[in-house]
Amino acid sequence: MDSPLIVVNFKTYAQGTGEAAVGIATACRDVAEEAGVTIGVAPQLCDIYRVSSQVDVPVYAQHVDGVSPGSNTGHVMASCVQQAGAVGSLINHSERRLNLADIEASVRAARAEGLTTIVCTNNIPTTAAAAALDPEYVAVEPPELIGTGVPVSQADPDVVRGSVEAVKKINPDVQVLCGAGISRGEDLIAAMELGSVGVLLASGIVKAEDPRSALEDLVSQL
Ligand code: G3P
C-alpha cells in the first residue's frame, strides 16, 4: 500500500485557531515524521503565515478565489496564499461551496501559482465534474457524514468506489481522497482499500482531547 496523503482541516474550530493552530500543526509534523507519511494542514487563511513560518509542514488554504491582482475586495488571491507559505488549497469545500465556473477559475488561479489543488465534492457526479477540471486531487465527502464520527468508508463505501471509478474514466491523472467521519487507523486503511490515496479529516483530530494521540492512532495501522 502506498503512503497516503492526510490533510487535516482546522475549519474554524477554536481548537485550531491562532496559537492553537501552531500546536496542532506541530503534532502533525511530528507524527508524520515518525510514521513516514505526509500530513498536511489546512488552517484558517489568517493563520497560514503563522503556521507555515513556524512549522515545517505542508500548509493548505481552506479556499482560494479565481481572482487576479486588482479590485477584488474580500477575495482570496492565490498568489497571496502562496506568498503566505501555502503549498496548496482546498476548493469547494462543502462548507464553502462554489458554482462550477468559480471552481474552474479557482483551480486555474491556484495552478498558475504552483499550488496543489484539492477540489471537494459531495457525490459521484460532482466528483466526475471536478475531475474534468484537472485538479491534482478530488476529495469526496458526503456532507451528511461530516463531523459525525461515522466514517464514509463504512457508511457509504460506494461513494468512494464510484468516485474512484468515475475519475479513472474521466481523468486518470487525478487522485481521489475521501473524507467525513474519518478518525481511526482502521478508517484510513478502509479508505485506501476503496481506492482513495488518502483522507481529508477534521473533527476527529482537531477536536480530540489529545490531537497527537489521535494522529498516532490514525497512522497506527499503516
Ligand atoms: O474537510 C474535512 C471535513 O469536512 C470532514 O470533517 O469532522 O467529518 O472529519 P470531519
Side-chain angles (χ1 to χ4, degrees), residues 181-222:
I182 305 282
S183 64
R184 311 283 314 269
E186 66 213 45
D187 306 338
L188 174 58
I189 296 295
M192 294 179 73
E193 285 172 353
L194 292 168
S196 67
V197 300
V199 293
L200 178 58
L201 76 169
S203 53
I205 305 297
V206 184
K207 292 174 82 178
E209 214 167 285
D210 181 350
R212 186 177 293 258
S213 63
L215 285 160
E216 284 165 352
D217 183 296
L218 182 69
V219 300
S220 62
Q221 298 190 21
L222 290 170

Side-chain angles (χ1 to χ4, degrees), residues 78-181:
S79 138
C80 188
V81 156
Q82 188 271 334
Q83 290 181 61
V87 300
S89 185
L90 306 181
I91 291 170
N92 193 47
H93 191 278
S94 65
E95 293 148 14
R96 189 64 177 84
R97 280 269 179 258
L98 300 173
N99 67 36
L100 191 58
D102 290 336
I103 298 170
E104 193 276 333
S106 294
V107 169
R108 196 153 25 89
R111 192 186 297 127
E113 295 301 328
L115 297 171
T116 298
T117 47
I118 302 175
V119 176
C120 301
T121 62
N122 59 324
N123 57 27
I124 298 169
T126 61
T127 299
L133 302 176
D134 203 28
E136 274 82 14
Y137 298 92
V138 293
V140 61
E141 301 194 313
E144 65 279 9
L145 296 174
I146 290 178
T148 61
V150 179
V152 60
S153 44
Q154 203 177 83
D156 195 356
D158 286 345
V159 78
V160 183
R161 269 192 218 105
S163 291
V164 170
E165 281 311 306
V167 168
K168 252 187 220 151
K169 282 187 202 134
I170 288 170
N171 188 346
D173 291 339
V174 176
Q175 299 194 288
V176 178
L177 304 174
C178 69

